[in-house]
DNA sequence: ATGACTGCCTCTGGCAGA
């Protein structure tokens, strides 16, 4: 079973790339972030034409997440823990397979910049809510994949120029501590379980030739419950998508799980 | 040294992104 995550930076601007990549990569499940549109505006027909079922949790202009799956699935929208939160950053699916259900979440964790503002407080509080929710999901003892744009650079190995990111909400010690707290619940970082090399990134800024210099960061992650980690075969970053014309600033990352 | 790009909805410039 192939499960992927991709921050498309507007699904309307990226529908051509999305269709081309779906045909190429042939994922069974896709978690999208930053669709930047309301549910009604999602290009559902184009994706359904490729054999996917679609569930969205969108909002106007900003944020927005979606899950595509070849198998039909049950869906839950929104991250529990704050009824006043209006930002669409979490959607979860329970997907039946021939060997039991797999639970997959598409996560768009808040950026949090600049620090020392309510934006950073929101990021940390959102991470606390994610930790609480993930704890409950782990208790189900199912194969579980928390996939998405975490806006967290886990370690100095995951950034081309660590000094440039010091003090940034993506790399601050408090941010990284909380990410470790999430991992320590019992999750496996799928990419690091498969590949310990430096210089492997999922995001490159549009500015200043960041892509050409491989001045990137690894912030898109697939976190696996023990039951999912047991099935992990490969984790691959589809870096070539960044060379396409008018790309997203993020590229897809995907895993293969044994049936 | 500085700024650098993209997308959105539109007060077509200001915000957000990371």
């Amino acid at each position: 079973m192939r499960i992927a995550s991709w921050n498309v930076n507007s699904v309307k601007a990226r529908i051509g790339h999305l269709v081309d990549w779906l045909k190429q990569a042939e994922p069974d499940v896709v978690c999208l972030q930053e669709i930047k549109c309301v549910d009604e505006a999602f290009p559902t027909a184009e994706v359904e034409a490729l054999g996917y079922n679609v569930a969205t949790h969108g909002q106007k202009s900003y944020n927005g997440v979606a899950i595509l799956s070849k198998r039909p699935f049950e869906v839950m929208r929104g991250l529990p823990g704050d009824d006043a939160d209006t930002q669409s950053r979490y959607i979860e699916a329970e997907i039946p397979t021939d060997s039991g259900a797999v639970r997959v979440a598409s996560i768009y964790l808040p950026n949090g910049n600049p620090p020392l503002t309510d934006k950073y407080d929101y990021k940390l509080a959102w991470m606390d809510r994610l930790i609480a929710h993930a704890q409950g999901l782990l208790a189900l003892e199912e194969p579980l994949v928390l996939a998405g744009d975490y806006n967290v650079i886990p370690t100095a190995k995951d950034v081309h120029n660590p000094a440039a990111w010091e003090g940034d909400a993506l790399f601050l010690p408090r941010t990284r501590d909380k990410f470790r707290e999430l991992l320590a619940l019992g999750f496996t970082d799928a990419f690091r379980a498969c590949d310990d090399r430096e210089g492997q990134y999922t995001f490159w800024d549009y500015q200043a030739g960041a892509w050409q210099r491989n001045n990137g960061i690894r912030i898109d992650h697939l976190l696996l419950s023990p039951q999912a980690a047991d099935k992990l075969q490969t984790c691959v970053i589809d870096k070539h998508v960044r060379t396409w014309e008018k790309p997203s600033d993020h590229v897809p990352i995907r895993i293969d799980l044994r049936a």
Side-chain angles (χ1 to χ4, degrees), chain A residues 53-194:
Chain A
N53 300 276
V54 180
T56 59
H57 183 40
Q59 77 181 76
K60 195 180 174 185
S61 304
Y62 302 113
N63 309 318
V65 285
I67 294 179
L68 323 178
S69 165
K70 295 223 163 173
R71 300 251 189 169
F73 55 92
E74 297 293 311
V75 64
M76 199 269 287
R77 292 176 177 82
L79 182 64
D82 182 0
D83 293 342
D85 187 358
T86 58
Q87 300 189 28
S88 298
R89 297 178 173 275
Y90 187 92
I91 186 169
E92 185 181 303
E94 167 113 44
I95 303 165
T97 77
D98 294 337
S99 54
V102 175
R103 191 176 295 267
V104 177
S106 180
I107 289 168
Y108 179 44
L109 206 146
N111 175 300
N113 278 305
L116 306 174
T117 64
D118 56 353
K119 291 193 174 186
Y120 191 60
D121 294 339
Y122 175 66
K123 177 177 192 150
L124 294 177
W126 205 93
M127 292 179 85
D128 281 333
R129 287 164 57 199
L130 180 60
I131 287 165
H133 185 59
Q135 215 157 11
L137 294 180
L138 283 174
L140 300 172
E141 302 191 351
E142 299 176 325
L144 164 70
V145 181
L146 303 183
D149 175 1
Y150 279 75
N151 274 312
V152 175
I153 303 166
T155 74
K157 202 165 158 180
D158 302 308
V159 48
H160 179 77
N161 181 6
W165 291 87
E166 250 179 61
D168 191 283
L170 279 66
F171 196 49
L172 279 173
R174 288 180 74 191
T175 304
R176 295 160 61 191
D177 283 350
K178 258 201 208 307
F179 185 73
R180 271 201 308 278
E181 192 182 328
L182 174 61
L183 281 175
L185 295 177
F187 287 100
T188 297
D189 176 343
F191 184 76
R192 279 303 175 217
C194 296

Side-chain angles (χ1 to χ4, degrees), chain A residues 6-100:
Chain A
W6 189 11
N7 178 325
V8 290
N9 186 17
S10 168
V11 72
K12 284 187 275 182
R14 223 66 62 199
I15 183 59
H17 284 200
L18 178 59
V19 166
D20 290 347
W21 172 77
L22 287 172
K23 287 179 182 169
Q24 238 178 44
E26 298 189 320
D28 299 294
V29 180
V30 183
C31 297
L32 299 176
Q33 302 87 36
E34 280 208 90
I35 63 173
K36 290 189 172 180
C37 64
V38 293
D39 295 337
E40 306 73 54
F42 190 93
T44 305
E46 286 91 327
V47 173
E48 283 179 348
L50 298 173
Y52 291 94
N53 300 276
V54 180
T56 59
H57 183 40
Q59 77 181 76
K60 195 180 174 185
S61 304
Y62 302 113
N63 309 318
V65 285
I67 294 179
L68 323 178
S69 165
K70 295 223 163 173
R71 300 251 189 169
F73 55 92
E74 297 293 311
V75 64
M76 199 269 287
R77 292 176 177 82
L79 182 64
D82 182 0
D83 293 342
D85 187 358
T86 58
Q87 300 189 28
S88 298
R89 297 178 173 275
Y90 187 92
I91 186 169
E92 185 181 303
E94 167 113 44
I95 303 165
T97 77
D98 294 337
S99 54

Side-chain angles (χ1 to χ4, degrees), chain A residues 188-229:
Chain A
T188 297
D189 176 343
F191 184 76
R192 279 303 175 217
C194 296
D195 190 328
D196 63 0
R197 293 175 298 165
E198 302 187 334
Q200 305 303 305
Y201 307 126
T202 63
F203 169 92
W204 298 261
D205 199 285
Y206 286 122
Q207 302 180 65
W211 164 250
Q212 287 75 10
R213 299 165 197 223
N214 196 29
N215 182 8
I217 51 180
R218 191 175 72 88
I219 57 174
D220 298 271
H221 309 297
L222 290 98
L223 302 193
L224 311 181
S225 72
Q227 294 77 10

